[in-house]
Amino acid sequence: RANKFLRAMEQDPSIPSGVLFRVENVTCPHHGRFARPDREIMDVRVSSMFGKGSADGPAILVGTQTLEQSLDLDADFMITDLCPMDVLLQRIGRLHRRDKPRRPLGYGSGRVAVLVPEDMTMESFLNDRGEAIKREGIGSVYENVGILRLTLDCLHARPVLNIPADNRFLVESATHPEKLNGLTGGKWKRHLNARHGSDLAEKVSARDVSILPILDKPFYDPESPDDSAKFGDFGNKLTRLGAEDRVVEFSAPFLSPFGVEIKEMIVPHHMAPGGEVGNKAEIISGPDEPVRFTFGNKTYTYSRFGLEEEK
């Protein structure tokens, strides 16, 4: 969706191309589907374009949750999808991080626009079994729809936030079990019961891979491959509970759109082919063409928009 949005902005004649975020003079979004060497120079560019000592004037950065990381980012205005209150507060922390002597007229205080669904009750995001209907990040990135509903209710009741003084009130209003249990209706009860069971299962999984019982062991023990695999390996890199991202090695290195040599890349679990396919990717594009490669039974492109799967 970030790529689609940026492509639409590039086609909008009212938006000068020079205001869009760019790396090595190449316009691009900021998200997690870039190779690590590219992400490193992209993060540096974020700091130089939006951080301490950045130049005055308009600038637009289109990105995903990767911008929630510890980046030196000071924005005047933010537009964001609806997300849980604690996550939203973290995002708001990218507004007015520094005491700049000058701000655009009307932005003397940090301002954020939260995009919300037409259905303010959010019950349309639940089926009759209380399962989340996944769309626009709801139900997938943020699985607990109840927390999103309470976040929305809280923002309606308090459109002006005093941060950090309001933080505890805001987070507890949107995440406390008593507040969640106050959502009435069969769909909500079934949904919250399912989320409670899933949370318990994830806690058990987390305990199974906890580092505490094995502090006396090497990080990688060839005699205990099962233990080492819990931390991930370069063939099947584990990044979250129940998910397996794949680190692929290319048949030949190539230069990224930003002029960086790329030898390997992470393919997210939801984009990776199923089954045992090893970790080798075959470049199928010519030297003067956009990078295309095959991995297993899938074909991908890698461009200034990052990794994209060909349909």
Side-chain angles (χ1 to χ4, degrees):
R1 290 177 60 223
N3 286 346
K4 182 179 179 180
F5 187 68
L6 180 57
R7 286 183 168 110
M9 294 187 75
E10 290 182 319
Q11 298 301 315
D12 191 325
S14 68
I15 301 175
S17 60
V19 307
L20 297 174
F21 176 71
R22 55 201 178 278
V23 176
E24 299 298 327
N25 211 31
V26 176
T27 302
C28 61
H30 190 287
H31 56 63
R33 296 183 191 172
F34 284 94
R36 180 176 294 178
D38 278 345
R39 272 292 303 278
E40 290 175 351
I41 63 172
M42 292 175 77
D43 289 353
V44 171
R45 180 57 178 157
V46 168
S47 296
S48 65
M49 196 169 176
F50 289 87
K52 183 178 181 180
S54 57
D56 290 339
I60 300 175
L61 172 58
V62 178
T64 63
Q65 294 95 322
T66 55
L67 296 175
E68 297 167 11
Q69 299 173 4
S70 300
L71 297 176
D72 184 8
L73 172 58
D74 180 349
D76 300 308
F77 179 56
M78 179 173 65
I79 304 171
T80 177
D81 288 327
L82 178 65
C83 59
M85 181 61 78
D86 53 341
V87 178
L88 179 61
L89 291 172
Q90 186 177 18
R91 292 182 186 179
I92 291 174
R94 273 47 187 162
L95 292 169
H96 286 234
R97 286 172 64 88
R98 300 187 180 278
D99 294 326
K100 287 187 175 180
R102 291 181 297 175
R103 296 276 182 184
L105 184 65
Y107 296 89
S109 297
R111 296 176 59 188
V112 56
V114 180
L115 304 180
V116 301
E118 292 183 4
D119 176 15
M120 296 297 185
T121 70
M122 301 200 66
E123 291 191 35
S124 62
F125 286 86
L126 302 176
N127 62 25
D128 290 337
R129 296 186 298 274
E131 299 167 338
I133 300 173
K134 299 178 180 181
R135 63 178 188 266
E136 300 172 358
I138 296 175
S140 53
V141 178
Y142 306 114
E143 298 176 339
N144 194 319
V145 182
I147 290 178
L148 295 175
R149 160 67 187 278
L150 292 176
T151 297
L152 185 54
D153 290 347
C154 194
L155 294 176
H156 276 298
R158 188 175 290 212
V160 178
L161 309 180
N162 182 11
I163 297 173
D166 291 345
N167 282 7
R168 178 170 180 173
F169 170 82
L170 294 170
V171 172
E172 291 189 355
S173 295
T175 64
H176 197 283
E178 290 182 5
K179 292 289 186 178
L180 288 167
N181 291 333
L183 294 172
T184 59
K187 282 186 176 182
W188 286 118
K189 295 301 181 185
R190 288 187 286 272
H191 176 66
L192 296 174
N193 285 339
R195 292 307 317 149
H196 180 66
S198 178
D199 290 344
L200 288 177
E202 289 184 354
K203 288 179 181 178
V204 172
S205 298
R207 186 178 61 216
D208 288 343
V209 297
S210 171
I211 195 173
L212 293 178
I214 56 171
L215 284 175
D216 58 339
K217 294 184 179 181
F219 181 74
Y220 175 75
D221 185 355
E223 302 301 324
S224 304
D226 290 339
D227 282 342
S228 61
K230 292 175 183 177
F231 296 97
D233 58 51
F234 288 103
N236 296 278
K237 186 170 184 178
L238 303 179
T239 56
R240 58 180 66 85
L241 291 174
E244 292 189 7
D245 292 352
R246 308 299 295 270
V247 178
V248 300
E249 298 178 358
F250 294 105
S251 54
F254 61 87
L255 289 181
S256 78
F258 315 117
V260 179
E261 185 178 75
I262 305 297
K263 298 179 180 179
E264 65 178 26
M265 182 182 305
I266 293 178
V267 175
H269 69 286
H270 58 278
M271 297 176 65
E276 295 295 328
V277 294
N279 66 336
K280 301 297 182 182
E282 186 71 25
I283 301 290
I284 60 174
S285 54
D288 298 321
E289 299 174 336
V291 174
R292 299 176 65 240
F293 65 92
T294 58
F295 176 49
N297 60 353
K298 293 189 175 185
T299 303
Y300 306 84
T301 61
Y302 188 74
S303 69
R304 64 189 178 95
F305 291 97
L307 178 69
E308 296 179 289
E309 181 182 347
E310 294 186 4
K311 302 296 185 182

